[in-house]
């Protein structure tokens, strides 16, 4: 079968990939579409270290082909969106409703794929850039069949991370003010999460002025090409500032833009060794800097909620899909995404 494999030097489309049958508690999914996220590109450029060879992709949707013993919530033929969260479901964090903190879901790559006799790693417990993948049952969330799979593919990372950061981590409230630094795939989902939460002033900041139209479509009330004008809109500062790019100087700017009791939420991923600085004295008015893993999501619950919001017209998905590419055109999709020409590129099988 076809898939995108990174061997440590380059990522290429191969056609000699195999995936094993699902074990108990697992599901095999025929992937229909997969979003190309900057995290995939970050593996290729070394920002995110990962063992190789690896099948890339972590944001996908498809159709269940087979289930292992003990799986009852999905069955062959069901449409599913895939999450990256392979949590155990039995530890203290899972029991408290914090599956993103499950230690069994972090840093335990497996090798369900093979090329010839060599095992190939799975990225983010998902590997959606393959015609078929095997995931833990908890990662496959049934969705209504009337949701296009090219749109549903984007729920599993961009929506869960961006909208989840607003609703679950920052808990933006009605009437709050929000600044979103970076209007890419994650940033646009933060913008629409703020709109859904009832924020009244939502300032999107991106160096590319061509992103203004789409940012406003998702709910931005203001658009700037730098943070310099934020104080003209929010003289006292913002209740919430989300950094969605992953640059330490922008993290500092997010902190500096906060009002009293404001929160800076970090979603962008800089290099693993990156360090950021801020004025300690600036935090004593009850300001906070919050890390956020995967939108502090509970995928089995949240994906179903987002699917309902999409069907009601309140959550935008189709508008995120700015370009689709057959998997054979992965190199072109990666170039367009890396250069910021598309909000979200979607690979199709």
């Amino acid at each position: 079968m076809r898939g995108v494999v990174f061997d440590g030097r380059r990522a290429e489309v191969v056609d000699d990939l195999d995936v094993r049958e699902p074990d108990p508690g697992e599901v095999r999914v025929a992937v229909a579409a997969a979003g190309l996220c900057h995290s995939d590109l970050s593996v290729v450029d070394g920002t995110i270290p990962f063992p190789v060879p690896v099948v890339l992709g972590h944001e996908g949707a498809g159709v269940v082909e087979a289930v292992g013993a003990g799986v009852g919530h999905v069955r062959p033929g069901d449409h599913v969106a895939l999450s990256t969260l392979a949590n155990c479901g039995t530890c203290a964090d899972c029991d408290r409703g914090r599956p993103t903190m499950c230690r069994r879901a972090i840093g335990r790559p497996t090798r369900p794929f093979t090329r010839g006799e060599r095992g190939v790693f799975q990225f983010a417990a998902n590997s959606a850039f393959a015609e078929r993948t095997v995931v833990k049952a908890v990662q496959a969330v049934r969705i209504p069949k009337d949701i296009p799979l090219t749109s549903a593919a984007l729920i599993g990372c961009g929506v869960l991370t961006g909208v989840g950061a607003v609703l679950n981590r920052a808990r933006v409230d009605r009437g709050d003010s929000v600044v979103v630094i970076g209007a890419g795939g994650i940033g646009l989902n933060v913008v629409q999460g703020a709109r859904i939460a009832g924020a009244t002033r939502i300032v999107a900041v991106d160096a590319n002025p061509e992103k203004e139209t789409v940012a406003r479509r998702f709910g931005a009330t203001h658009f700037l090409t730098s943070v310099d004008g934020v104080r003209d809109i929010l003289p006292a500062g913002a209740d919430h500032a989300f950094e969605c790019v992953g640059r330490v100087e922008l993290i500092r700017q997010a902190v500096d833009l906060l009002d009293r009791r404001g929160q800076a939420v970090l979603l962008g991923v800089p290099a693993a060794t990156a360090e950021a600085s801020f004025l300690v004295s600036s935090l004593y008015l009850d300001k906070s800097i919050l890390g956020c893993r995967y939108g502090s999501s509970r995928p089995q619950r949240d994906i179903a909620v987002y699917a309902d919001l999409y069907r009601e017209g309140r959550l935008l998905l189709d508008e995120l899909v700015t370009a689709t590419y057959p998997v054979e055109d992965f190199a072109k999709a990666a170039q367009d995404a890396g250069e910021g020409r598309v909000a979200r590129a979607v690979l199709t099988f």
Side-chain angles (χ1 to χ4, degrees):
M1 68 178 184
R2 295 168 297 168
V4 179
V5 176
F6 176 59
D7 64 4
R9 300 183 304 277
R10 66 188 184 117
E12 63 177 339
V13 180
V14 304
D15 60 7
D16 58 350
L17 198 64
D18 288 306
V19 67
R20 63 171 172 77
E21 293 294 316
D23 286 337
E26 293 183 335
V27 176
R28 189 178 72 222
V29 176
V31 179
L36 176 54
C37 176
H38 277 275
S39 295
D40 301 302
L41 301 180
S42 293
V43 174
V44 176
D45 68 21
T47 301
I48 296 178
F50 206 87
V52 295
V54 57
V55 178
L56 296 175
H58 63 284
E59 184 182 67
V63 181
V64 175
E65 275 196 341
V67 300
V71 177
H73 74 290
V74 293
R75 60 185 181 182
D78 283 345
H79 287 200
V80 292
L82 300 177
S83 88
T84 69
L85 202 58
N87 59 297
C88 70
T90 59
C91 69
D93 283 310
C94 287
D95 191 52
R96 291 171 182 158
R98 303 187 304 209
T100 57
M101 295 297 102
C102 175
R103 285 166 172 78
R104 297 188 188 181
I106 302 175
R108 295 173 181 265
T110 60
R111 288 184 282 191
F113 301 97
T114 54
R115 290 187 71 193
E117 296 184 358
R118 185 181 186 187
V120 180
F121 284 101
Q122 185 173 44
F123 178 54
N126 188 308
S127 289
F129 292 172
E131 288 186 84
R132 293 173 181 80
T133 190
V134 169
V135 298
K136 291 183 67 172
V138 71
Q139 296 176 254
V141 184
R142 188 171 60 230
I143 58 174
K145 291 185 178 181
D146 60 355
I147 299 179
L149 290 172
T150 50
S151 297
L154 304 185
I155 299 177
C157 177
V159 175
L160 281 175
T161 300
V163 179
V166 173
L167 302 182
N168 301 327
R169 186 67 169 124
R171 297 186 181 276
V172 173
D173 201 359
R174 290 168 296 178
D176 283 356
S177 59
V178 173
V179 174
V180 183
I181 301 176
I186 298 298
L188 289 175
N189 277 298
V190 173
V191 168
Q192 72 170 333
R195 169 178 52 77
I196 291 168
T200 52
R201 286 176 291 177
I202 305 170
V203 184
V205 181
D206 197 287
N208 184 354
E210 294 182 0
K211 293 186 177 180
E212 179 173 2
T213 299
V214 68
R216 289 186 180 276
R217 175 72 181 89
F218 274 72
T221 58
H222 302 77
F223 182 90
L224 300 170
T225 54
S226 78
V227 299
D228 294 339
V230 171
R231 290 284 182 175
D232 294 330
I233 302 166
L234 304 171
D239 296 313
H240 312 272
F242 295 82
E243 200 284 333
C244 304
V245 181
R247 289 167 46 187
V248 294
E249 66 271 24
L250 298 181
I251 292 173
R252 170 61 184 269
Q253 290 175 1
V255 175
D256 290 345
L257 288 171
L258 296 177
D259 194 358
R260 299 182 180 194
R261 295 182 58 81
Q263 301 178 127
V265 184
L266 311 186
L267 295 177
V269 182
T273 57
E275 297 182 0
S277 63
F278 56 90
L279 290 174
V280 175
S281 60
S282 70
L283 298 186
Y284 289 124
L285 291 173
D286 286 1
K287 300 179 185 180
S288 305
I289 301 173
L290 305 179
C292 184
R293 180 169 190 258
Y294 203 39
S296 301
S297 298
R298 292 169 288 175
Q300 285 287 338
R301 173 188 180 275
D302 291 350
I303 289 176
V305 169
Y306 299 150
D308 285 342
L309 288 172
Y310 167 79
R311 298 173 86 195
E312 294 170 2
R314 298 171 61 194
L315 181 84
L316 305 183
L317 291 177
D318 305 338
E319 294 81 357
L320 282 169
V321 184
T322 49
T324 59
Y325 305 76
V327 67
E328 290 81 5
D329 290 343
F330 168 77
K332 172 65 173 169
Q335 181 180 15
D336 288 350
E339 295 177 0
R341 287 196 290 269
V342 295
R344 213 47 152 203
V346 175
L347 300 180
T348 58
F349 291 89

